[in-house]
Amino acid sequence: MSTTTAELLKGASALFTDEVVTSAHVRHLDLPYGAGKFALITLDNGLDHTKPTTFGPASLANLNAAIDQVEKEAAEGDIVGVGVTGKPFIFAVGADLKGVELLKKHDDALAIGKGGHEVFKRLSALAVPTFAYYNGAAMGGGVEVGLHCSYRTVSKALPAFSLPEVFLGLVPGWGGCALLPNLIGADKAVSVIIENSLNQNKQLKGVQVHELGIADALFEGADFLEQSLLWTAQVVKGDIKVERPDVDRGEAWDQAVARGRSIADGKVHGAAPAAYRALDIIANAKSGDLQAGFDAEDQALADLIMGGELRAGIYAFNLVQKRAKRPAGAPDKNLARPITKVGVVGAGLMASQLALLFLRRLEVPVVLTDIDQERVDKGVGYVHAEIDKLLGKGRVNQDKANRLKGLVSGVLDKAEGFSDADFIIEAVFEEIGVKQQVFAEVEAVAPAHAILATNTSSLSVSEMASKLKHPERVVGFHFFNPVAILPLLEIVRGEQTDDAALATAFGVAKKLKKTAVLVKDAPAFVVNRILTRFMGEIQNVIDEGTPVAVAEKAVEPLGLPMSPLVLLELVGPAIGLHVSETLHTAFPDRFTVSPNLAAVVKAGKRGFYVYSAENGFKPELDPEVAALLKQGDTVLTEQQVRDRVLDAVAQEIGLMLDENVVAEAQDIDLCLITGAGWPFHLGGITPYLDRAGVSERVTGKKFLEAGVASVPA
């Protein structure tokens, strides 16, 4: 390693005093078949598999020292090869992001890139062949250290393998962008680096790693290292020749990069730079000049580390990985009551989805009720059918499928169904009178300790509980559709909800594997309130005269998972109208009810768009909807629409924080990421509003302190 880089790494290490340091232990062994003496480097941070091995500055220095040792041994002919592996279940998961957060200078960021490169590429320069044994989870720099080796094996049991940097707002910066396309071809590399990353950080299994050609051999997990060493011995002796297909460096390479740009455009619409920087490096890697690729990775890494998108990405990652596990404001978990039976009021699609979720996660009896036997049977039938699907996919075995089916039932009589239930949730029509009646009926037959939960999306939990004898046991438990996919659960504390009910709700949420956020009992809570204000402004500008296409395109730079009107279609125009009416009643000065949306609902339309095979199933304005629209003559530009929409959202968030709807702005971002799929590169919404100057323009201050989702001052 060069003196300059060593000094820079030392400086970076001084900044990062809390690094969990990874050791690089060297041990020697005799390879089978008399192949010779072999040096095996094991990466290990001294902690169990719940604390994965990472690379910070001191960890890179330790690996460098290990390579010093084996380089000398290789040069002197003492060893015939070098292997790198990890501790049980973990190979290595890349750079330590806690250290990245602390960096304030471009030079320090550059040192991280250069340091990783200079250490890792020494593996490929050794006088003997090098082997990476991917024994467990490998991500980012963990994948890349293996790419610098001559050969790679992978365990069939490996659960997660990825280059997730683009997902976070970085590029694979320690060789991934340059080495991977030169190993497996540009198209496969684009799938791993761009497509998988932007597809919610999709992970590869061990078998897929081998099929892609990243690993040269695949072995069972039980004796993975032993089999890898047997294979290594045969490679060293020349008994096994590793054949790799030639990489197509012609038009196919350019087409792969173009495909990557199309994927990036579809996901982030040019709003985040990481994918495009990675694609530039992949495009230039066509020449096979690895050092030029490494240099480009260094620059891209440093630039992105010092940019807002990465800091927002790390902030989002920390919200989902850390804050989600310790919900702000949750009561003492010891107050939670055990749940041995669950009741579900309703047997429609939402109620049936809830029944399935409770059944799978809690594995306790679940009983549905509804107003007639046909609906009850349909609800139970849905759950049975979904369990059969899981059985067909091998997700459950026959015994478990039978047991789960036996645990779900349906009855008409609430007294029969709920007399011994501990947790009862309603998912009936979104009308306060209906819900009050349901809760009155449930309270009359439920045991005194039972928690009564409502899946309301916008109605007052306090009002719902107001006519009960024991309103203290009512809690809001708002799921997001589709229930099985979206992680968020807004837990709503009513005016009289007690700590035991709330603690039980949080305990159930944890068992359901949901991200629970404590929310004040305010109209539409968090996600629906922000989305309705957002959508409301889009609808307002359309009503006033801006063309639908202009209004939709205006918010593309946010890189949202779908356009506003496509989202409306997913939610359902009738539900969107209902929520806007609820919020208009609560806040008539800020929330409007669009007459055009009302007309679309009245006409029974499922949305604003139609889709045809001739147009590649892209959304086109439905001519029947176009005929319904009555617009004014005020036409705004995309920039004007965007400013107006973002100003409205910033105003609403400011008011929600003033009203203590949630504890902090971080909870609003956590809700939007996990409940509405807002991108990691935005950090939800508040870092973007801060970075774009919208927060200060509207509220007079930023939502987050400097350094929370931005480069530290």
Side-chain angles (χ1 to χ4, degrees), residues 43 53 84-87 89-93 132-138 142 145-146:
L43 305 170
T53 304
V84 181
T85 193
K87 67 183 183 181
F89 310 110
I90 303 289
F91 182 76
V93 297
Y133 306 133
Y134 290 125
N135 63 301
V145 70

Side-chain angles (χ1 to χ4, degrees), residues 193-406:
I193 295 169
I194 306 298
E195 189 171 19
N196 288 359
S197 275
L198 293 180
N199 188 18
Q200 293 300 304
N201 193 20
K202 180 182 175 183
Q203 300 293 315
L204 297 169
K205 306 288 188 189
V207 172
Q208 295 168 300
V209 173
H210 181 242
E211 287 172 349
L212 283 166
I214 300 171
D216 301 303
L218 175 73
F219 299 115
E220 295 290 345
D223 57 351
F224 170 70
L225 187 56
E226 182 184 350
Q227 292 300 319
S228 291
L229 291 171
L230 284 167
W231 182 84
T232 297
Q234 292 170 289
V235 171
V236 168
K237 289 184 70 179
D239 297 338
I240 289 178
K241 302 283 187 191
V242 174
E243 302 287 345
R244 296 183 185 131
D246 290 336
V247 170
D248 188 333
R249 298 183 185 279
E251 191 179 337
W253 194 293
D254 300 331
Q255 288 173 346
V257 173
R259 182 174 75 88
R261 293 194 194 284
S262 178
I263 292 166
D265 288 344
K267 291 289 187 179
V268 302
H269 307 285
Y276 302 98
R277 292 294 293 267
L279 285 162
D280 288 343
I281 301 168
I282 293 170
N284 291 328
K286 181 179 178 180
S287 68
D289 185 342
L290 294 180
Q291 189 55 53
F294 297 162
D295 292 343
E297 286 176 350
D298 289 341
Q299 286 300 325
L301 202 63
D303 292 347
L304 291 166
I305 284 174
M306 301 312 292
E309 287 82 4
L310 170 69
R311 303 305 172 122
I314 294 174
Y315 164 79
F317 182 82
N318 287 336
L319 290 180
V320 171
Q321 294 297 319
K322 296 175 183 176
R323 192 176 183 91
K325 292 178 172 62
R326 294 186 290 276
D332 182 349
K333 63 183 179 183
N334 293 318
L335 296 172
R337 296 167 184 159
I339 304 299
T340 60
K341 183 178 180 181
V342 173
V344 182
V345 186
L349 181 57
M350 188 67 179
S352 301
Q353 288 183 72
L354 296 182
L356 178 68
L357 180 67
F358 279 94
L359 185 66
R360 289 193 65 201
R361 297 290 186 229
L362 271 59
E363 295 190 23
V364 299
V366 175
V367 59
L368 298 96
T369 67
D370 213 314
I371 57 175
D372 60 55
Q373 192 64 44
E374 184 181 351
R375 293 181 198 217
V376 168
D377 292 345
K378 188 176 180 182
V380 174
Y382 169 88
V383 176
H384 282 194
E386 291 299 310
I387 292 169
D388 284 338
K389 287 180 188 175
L390 294 171
L391 177 63
K393 293 175 182 175
R395 302 274 292 278
V396 296
N397 60 28
Q398 188 66 60
D399 285 346
K400 186 162 186 179
N402 292 341
R403 186 156 51 83
L404 290 175
K405 285 183 181 180

Side-chain angles (χ1 to χ4, degrees), residues 397-458:
N397 60 28
Q398 188 66 60
D399 285 346
K400 186 162 186 179
N402 292 341
R403 186 156 51 83
L404 290 175
K405 285 183 181 180
L407 286 171
V408 64
S409 61
V411 296
L412 290 176
D413 183 0
K414 290 185 179 67
E416 179 188 345
F418 299 157
S419 62
D420 57 347
D422 308 301
F423 191 96
I424 302 164
I425 184 166
E426 68 76 23
V428 299
F429 185 67
E430 194 77 347
E431 203 280 313
I432 193 72
V434 174
K435 290 184 184 284
Q436 285 178 331
Q437 180 186 341
V438 161
F439 269 158
E441 293 170 359
V442 169
E443 187 180 49
V445 299
H449 70 272
I451 305 302
L452 309 185
T454 170
N455 185 46
T456 183
S457 61
S458 60

Side-chain angles (χ1 to χ4, degrees), residues 637-673:
T637 65
E638 288 178 22
Q639 183 65 53
Q640 288 171 322
V641 173
R642 186 159 55 251
D643 287 347
R644 186 161 150 185
V645 169
L646 293 177
D647 284 3
V649 169
Q651 181 193 32
E652 205 59 39
I653 291 171
L655 291 166
M656 290 167 71
L657 293 173
D658 290 344
E659 295 165 18
N660 298 313
V661 173
V662 289
E664 293 180 289
Q666 283 90 329
D667 293 311
I668 283 176
D669 292 319
L670 181 57
C671 284
L672 285 174
I673 292 165

Side-chain angles (χ1 to χ4, degrees), residues 19 22 43 53-57 59-60 63 92 94-96 120 141-142 145 174:
E19 178 183 352
T22 296
L43 305 170
T53 304
T54 53
F55 293 116
S59 303
L60 287 173
L63 178 57
D96 192 322
F120 288 2
V145 70
W174 286 341

Side-chain angles (χ1 to χ4, degrees), residues 542 546-556 565 609 621 631 638:
I542 292 171
T546 298
V548 169
V550 174
E552 286 266 84
K553 202 162 187 300
V555 292
E556 272 191 4
L565 294 183
Y609 293 127
L621 186 62
Q631 294 180 279
E638 288 178 22

